[in-house]
Amino acid sequence: MKTTIANVHKHLNETVTIGAWLHNKRSSGKISFLQLRDGSGFIQGVVAKAAVSEEEFELSKEISQESSLYVTGTVVEDSRSPLGYELQVTGLELIQEAVDYPITPKEHGTEFLMDHRHLWLRSKKQHAIMKVRNEIIRSTYEFFNNEGFVKIDPPILTGASAEGTTELFHTKYFDEDAYLSQSGQLYMEAAAMALGRVFSFGPTFRAEKSKTRRHLIEFWMIEPEMAFMDHEESLQMQEEYVAFVVQSVLKNCQVELDTLERDRSQLEKITAPFPRITYTDAIQLLKDQGFDDIDWGDDFGAPHETAIAESFDKPVFITHFPLHIKAFYMKPDPDNPDVALCADLIAPEGYGEIIGGSERIDDYELMAQRYKEHDLEGPAYQWYLQLRQYGSVPHSGFGLGLERTVAWITGIEHIRETIPFPRLLNRLYP
């Protein structure tokens, strides 16, 4: 019977056949130990000389790393295995021998591994990261479906910037200027006026030559927009969402977290509500800690975000940023028009901002004024202004960066390890 490694628990003491690749091996006299993987997981196959033919035993000793084969054997319990089972092998069939596989069990540098990303993806660590990434995506859909959201797909080629900046990749849409999407938010606002609660999940692009371990040129964003929801209600939705995702990973990715040697205690404390600090108080906190390179009105850099996060044991919301350093669509605080009804969610352990969100301007005259201030009066933005003309309502939204969230939850050092394949732009400017 054919099965997968992930399903061997259903076949205890039964004989099964698994299509697999050889991850690693060792031999000891009349026994070979094969570390096998099939994409669903890893399992050890024990090949005793007496249990197989002479040719099969020689194959078990000589087969090279990443060769493909069919392995037949009996599933038995093994408490020493992370999976809890191993395979007592009774048959081996070589599919293809891999010759000179470049990523050997020795240590390799990050640049070498990124240049061989298409192969590095097969390693235990990268396998675990991708499984956690998948669980974050799966639980995201579960959370928003449970909360009554509808998924909407915004365009990837757009006629204007969602942020009102120039950090865009320019291209031509036949005879018209077009840009790779920086965010799906503006389109999500239109969708929220039709469907109430919506979210998008797709690629976004930032033309920033940032050579840091925390930035990518192309990344994936989850962007919900919610009609009839104010800033405070949005913050509650955000913290419930993040807590739900983290708890789902803890429940469904225990083997992967162990593979990554992730300190689970850092994740187990991630429950709503999250602490909050205003931008003004955060500036004072940094001043009290000796930072003299930032003043009110400046944006935070990575060292500042890390210092603020270290003052709390959960993700922390920094709220009410100065209006002039935030995007044109953010609603001013009625009690202090110099600041916006917005927040950044900063992850613990130095991983930085994982969510940015705000209540959006819903007043037509105010948005028209902001258009003039930001020189956004071209036809590409007129449809967005019309959303405030026909039945405008209070509404809020946010965006979560998938890759940085994966990096935080898995505890890995470099964000490039969270992307499945090497994109040209990410490799040029890591």
Side-chain angles (χ1 to χ4, degrees):
M1 175 186 295
K2 275 190 177 181
T3 190
T4 63
I5 291 172
N7 286 325
V8 294
H9 65 282
K10 300 177 182 178
H11 303 285
L12 183 61
N13 299 321
E14 296 178 7
T15 298
V16 298
T17 297
I18 298 173
W21 294 271
L22 181 71
H23 179 67
N24 206 347
K25 75 173 190 298
R26 61 185 177 89
S27 299
S28 177
K30 296 182 179 181
I31 299 180
S32 296
F33 300 92
L34 308 182
Q35 301 300 321
L36 304 167
R37 64 173 193 86
D38 71 344
S40 73
F42 292 77
I43 193 171
Q44 177 171 267
V46 180
V47 187
K49 186 175 183 178
V52 296
S53 69
E54 184 175 340
E55 293 78 10
E56 289 172 323
F57 187 69
E58 285 301 312
L59 175 62
S60 73
K61 293 196 300 181
E62 301 299 329
I63 189 172
S64 55
Q65 182 185 1
E66 286 305 319
S67 292
S68 53
L69 65 162
Y70 288 114
V71 184
T72 300
T74 303
V75 179
V76 298
E77 288 185 313
D78 181 4
S79 60
R80 298 164 299 177
S81 166
L83 186 66
Y85 303 90
E86 71 175 17
L87 200 62
Q88 298 288 345
V89 177
T90 56
L92 293 173
E93 179 187 343
L94 180 66
I95 300 173
Q96 187 199 46
E97 182 178 5
V99 180
D100 297 328
Y101 185 69
I103 305 179
T104 59
K106 71 175 185 179
E107 290 290 327
H108 296 279
T110 301
E111 291 306 316
F112 174 86
L113 292 171
M114 287 306 299
D115 285 342
H116 294 83
R117 180 62 169 164
H118 55 294
L119 300 176
W120 189 27
L121 204 58
R122 303 179 183 192
S123 73
K124 271 191 175 183
K125 179 181 178 183
Q126 301 307 311
H127 179 271
I129 293 170
M130 291 302 111
K131 291 294 287 288
V132 172
R133 178 189 172 105
N134 181 70
E135 178 59 25
I136 292 172
I137 295 170
R138 188 208 62 78
S139 59
T140 289
Y141 277 81
E142 180 182 355
F143 177 84
F144 287 117
N145 286 336
N146 289 344
E147 293 292 331
F149 283 71
V150 177
K151 184 178 182 292
I152 298 291
D153 299 315
I156 295 176
L157 284 177
T158 67
S161 165
E163 303 290 346
T165 70
T166 58
E167 296 164 348
L168 299 169
F169 286 108
H170 176 261
T171 185
K172 283 287 186 180
Y173 187 74
F174 300 100
D175 295 329
E176 298 181 21
D177 288 327
Y179 306 91
L180 291 180
S181 175
Q182 190 184 44
S183 168
Q185 178 209 315
L186 305 190
Y187 300 97
M188 289 301 98
E189 288 190 54
M193 297 304 107
L195 295 162
R197 292 184 174 189
V198 298
F199 76 103
S200 65
F201 174 51
T204 57
F205 305 85
R206 302 289 169 91
E208 301 172 344
K209 296 181 180 180
S210 300
K211 294 187 176 182
T212 78
R213 68 179 181 87
R214 301 200 310 178
H215 290 86
L216 292 169
I217 299 300
E218 176 188 347
F219 58 98
W220 286 65
M221 287 273 284
I222 294 98
E223 297 184 276
E225 288 289 330
M226 302 150 289
F228 306 103
M229 185 171 287
D230 63 25
H231 176 56
E232 174 59 32
E233 293 168 322
S234 176
L235 293 184
Q236 294 174 19
M237 183 70 71
Q238 293 172 49
E239 61 195 4
E240 289 170 6
Y241 164 49
V242 171
F244 182 85
V245 166
V246 171
Q247 295 305 314
S248 292
V249 171
L250 281 169
K251 177 182 177 182
N252 299 317
C253 296
Q254 296 180 26
V255 171
E256 289 76 17
L257 293 174
D258 288 344
T259 297
L260 296 166
E261 299 180 338
R262 182 61 164 118
D263 181 358
R264 292 194 209 176
S265 67
Q266 295 295 322
L267 301 177
E268 289 166 352
K269 65 180 73 170
I270 308 303
T271 56
F274 296 162
R276 304 174 189 186
I277 184 172
T278 66
Y279 170 90
T280 300
D281 288 344
I283 291 290
Q284 187 59 53
L285 174 66
L286 293 171
K287 295 283 190 185
D288 293 344
Q289 293 184 9
F291 285 89
D292 58 4
D293 61 343
I294 189 167
D295 294 302
W296 200 96
D298 297 334
D299 208 352
F300 297 120
H304 307 123
E305 290 179 344
T306 298
I308 295 167
E310 287 176 348
S311 301
F312 304 89
D313 62 356
K314 293 182 181 182
V316 56
F317 286 113
I318 305 176
T319 69
H320 299 85
F321 281 75
L323 195 64
H324 72 272
I325 65 172
K326 286 299 186 178
F328 72 92
Y329 51 74
M330 293 191 178
K331 187 174 183 176
D333 185 348
D335 297 327
N336 180 5
D338 291 332
V339 301
L341 292 174
C342 68
D344 289 351
L345 183 63
I346 310 301
E349 303 173 82
Y351 285 93
E353 176 194 344
I354 56 172
I355 286 182
S358 73
E359 187 169 342
R360 318 310 193 186
I361 292 174
D362 55 82
D363 180 76
Y364 180 89
E365 297 299 331
L366 178 56
M367 183 61 82
Q369 177 186 329
R370 298 303 293 273
Y371 269 37
K372 292 180 181 179
E373 294 171 356
H374 290 265
D375 192 25
L376 301 175
E377 296 185 278
Y381 287 97
Q382 289 310 302
W383 66 268
Y384 184 66
L385 184 59
Q386 282 189 335
L387 300 179
R388 279 79 184 160
Q389 189 174 4
Y390 304 111
S392 184
V393 299
H395 61 288
S396 301
F398 61 92
L400 176 139
L402 175 63
E403 282 78 10
R404 196 175 288 179
T405 302
V406 174
W408 162 50
I409 293 177
T410 57
I412 61 174
E413 180 178 353
H414 206 299
I415 195 170
R416 283 192 295 172
E417 294 186 56
T418 67
I419 56 176
F421 296 105
R423 290 134 174 138
L424 173 62
L425 299 177
N426 284 337
R427 294 177 66 194
L428 288 177
Y429 300 106

